[in-house]
Amino acid sequence: MTTDRGDTSPTGNPIPRALRVSAALGWRFLVVVASLYVVGVIFGRLASLVVPLAIALLLAALLAPAVGFLMAKRFPRGLATLVVLVGGLAVLGGLLTFVVVTFVNGVPDLAAQLARSIDAVSGWLVNGPLQLSEGQLREFADRVVKTLQDNQSGITSSALTTAATVGETLVEMLLVLFSLAFFLYDGPRIWQFLIRVVPDGPRRRVDVAGRRSLAALVSYVRATGAVAVVDALGIGIGLAVLKVPLAVPLAALVFIGAFVPIFGAVVAGGVAVLIALVANGPVTATIVLIIVIAVNQLESHVLQPFLLGRAVKLHPLAVVLAIASGLLVAGIAGALLAVPLLAVLNSAIRSLLSEADEHVAPADVRTSEPEESGPDEPGLDTEADQPKTGAGS
């Protein structure tokens, strides 16, 4: 009797080889999924700690080159850290203060305009094609008031929850500031301490991969800043041309919101549309809505995938899927951190798999240079695989 070598092993195992290979791959896949699930649960329970640390690391990636620049000008590291930290807080605080003060100063005019708009809408409902009576309008207003009174306890509890959330946010902001100061001042020593757990053999490769990852993080933050500037300019210029009140602070709000990929600019643009509706009427609000949609489409389909993808050497589809996955798993925080996490992992894996990095010294990797986010070699870099034409080819 002949034996089908494709169905049985040399020892006569009756289980088909394809089934045994599939089972082996299957249980390994389940182990990986279970491990990722456990890690996700742990990070979910520690979200109040993990998210501030991650945001502090992003800010450190943005500000660390400035610290390095000052140290090159013979500033002590502690003084350079203090100058950059205070300067960054001053810029951010000044921007937030400007936005808040301008909004507060513009509230009385907006309130008066809102009252006029409500009167105009009421007049249109009474005298327009709907021909509603004043009694119907009063009945509708009474229903709104009654609904608010019936849900007063729910509104109160929501306010208390919001107050507690504000308290937690303040604590997390202090943790971000505290962590950022130590990342900027003691970042190299913290990294050297962390890689001590790696055995001596692969330690140098892990060190190089970590520095490549930090370079990718710096590139990501810079690219995100460029996206935020484009969003703010696009929406801000549109608001100014349409003579919408508070155009400058609204543009600043869009700039800040753009650091939360896609959704931050959407929320800030929604605020701009509401103010345009109150102050300038439905026609202007519709035009502002079109501008916001156009800018967000430019961000979603051009700037985010291609600018960020080029900066961190990720495929545009990977960027979009990372943002969507982060949003589904962890909401806004997940959308904010998904792409930088993917960029860090991509650069680390590229470096560990690269033959070119086998002979690179950790000190030779300049984390402030975008091109240092990954080794350039065929098979890993799309641009490097393109054939060169011209006299030198």
Side-chain angles (χ1 to χ4, degrees):
M1 179 182 294
T2 59
T3 301
D4 187 358
R5 295 182 180 179
D7 294 335
T8 62
S9 66
T11 59
N13 192 335
I15 300 177
R17 182 175 181 274
L19 181 59
R20 285 186 281 113
V21 172
S22 300
L25 292 175
W27 72 256
R28 287 177 172 84
F29 175 75
L30 291 177
V31 169
V32 171
V33 171
S35 301
L36 292 176
Y37 176 77
V38 172
V39 171
V41 171
I42 294 174
F43 280 131
R45 295 293 179 88
L46 299 177
S48 299
L49 176 64
V50 173
V51 173
L53 287 177
I55 293 175
L57 189 58
L58 288 176
L59 294 176
L62 177 65
L63 299 177
V67 174
F69 174 79
L70 292 179
M71 290 179 63
K73 299 298 182 181
R74 300 185 183 279
F75 276 65
R77 188 173 188 88
L79 180 59
T81 300
L82 181 63
V83 170
V84 171
L85 195 59
V86 172
L89 289 176
V91 172
L92 180 60
L95 184 62
L96 291 176
T97 301
F98 173 74
V99 171
V100 172
V101 170
T102 309
F103 266 117
V104 170
N105 292 335
V107 163
D109 293 337
L110 287 176
Q113 182 63 42
L114 178 61
R116 291 192 293 269
S117 299
I118 292 176
D119 292 339
V121 171
S122 300
W124 181 83
L125 291 175
V126 173
N127 302 317
L130 296 181
Q131 294 293 319
L132 299 179
S133 64
E134 294 184 0
Q136 289 175 316
L137 291 179
R138 284 196 299 270
E139 181 181 357
F140 176 75
D142 292 341
R143 287 181 179 178
V144 172
V145 173
K146 186 176 185 301
T147 301
L148 292 176
Q149 291 175 345
D150 293 341
N151 295 275
Q152 185 174 1
S153 59
I155 296 174
T156 303
S157 62
S158 299
L160 293 176
T161 303
T162 302
T165 303
V166 170
E168 293 176 0
T169 302
L170 291 176
V171 173
E172 292 176 0
M173 290 175 63
L174 291 176
L175 180 57
V176 169
L177 182 61
F178 188 77
S179 303
L180 176 61
F182 278 99
F183 284 157
L184 291 176
Y185 179 72
D186 257 349
R189 283 192 289 182
I190 293 174
W191 172 245
Q192 292 301 321
F193 173 79
L194 291 176
I195 63 173
R196 287 179 186 174
V197 301
V198 181
D200 292 338
R203 182 178 298 173
R204 185 187 60 80
R205 292 298 307 273
V206 173
D207 194 357
V208 171
R211 294 169 187 263
R212 297 285 196 193
S213 298
L214 180 57
L217 198 60
V218 171
S219 299
Y220 167 80
V221 175
R222 289 178 178 177
T224 302
V227 172
V229 169
V230 173
D231 285 352
L233 287 177
I235 295 178
I237 291 174
L239 294 175
V241 170
L242 295 173
K243 297 181 179 180
V244 176
L246 308 176
V248 175
L250 284 174
L253 186 63
V254 170
F255 174 80
I256 296 173
F259 282 89
V260 178
I262 300 176
F263 293 93
V266 170
V267 174
V271 174
V273 172
L274 289 177
I275 291 180
L277 178 62
V278 171
N280 295 62
V283 176
T284 302
T286 302
I287 298 175
V288 172
L289 177 61
I290 294 173
I291 293 174
V292 170
I293 293 175
V295 170
N296 279 279
Q297 290 299 311
L298 176 65
E299 174 191 347
S300 302
H301 299 290
V302 179
L303 297 178
Q304 285 281 359
F306 291 98
L307 186 57
L308 283 180
R310 177 171 297 180
V312 298
K313 297 185 179 179
L314 293 174
H315 193 279
L317 180 61
V319 175
V320 174
L321 292 179
I323 294 174
S325 300
L327 181 66
L328 290 175
V329 172
I332 298 299
L336 175 65
L337 301 176
V339 177
L341 176 60
L342 183 62
V344 166
L345 293 176
N346 176 65
S347 293
I349 294 172
R350 282 163 56 92
S351 178
L352 292 174
L353 295 178
S354 169
E355 295 181 0
D357 270 2
E358 288 183 358
H359 308 290
V360 174
D364 293 336
V365 180
R366 298 179 300 277
T367 56
S368 61
E369 299 293 334
E371 62 270 15
E372 297 295 335
S373 62
D376 293 329
E377 58 177 303
L380 290 178
D381 242 336
T382 303
E383 294 180 1
D385 294 338
Q386 299 297 325
K388 293 180 173 59
T389 58
S393 60

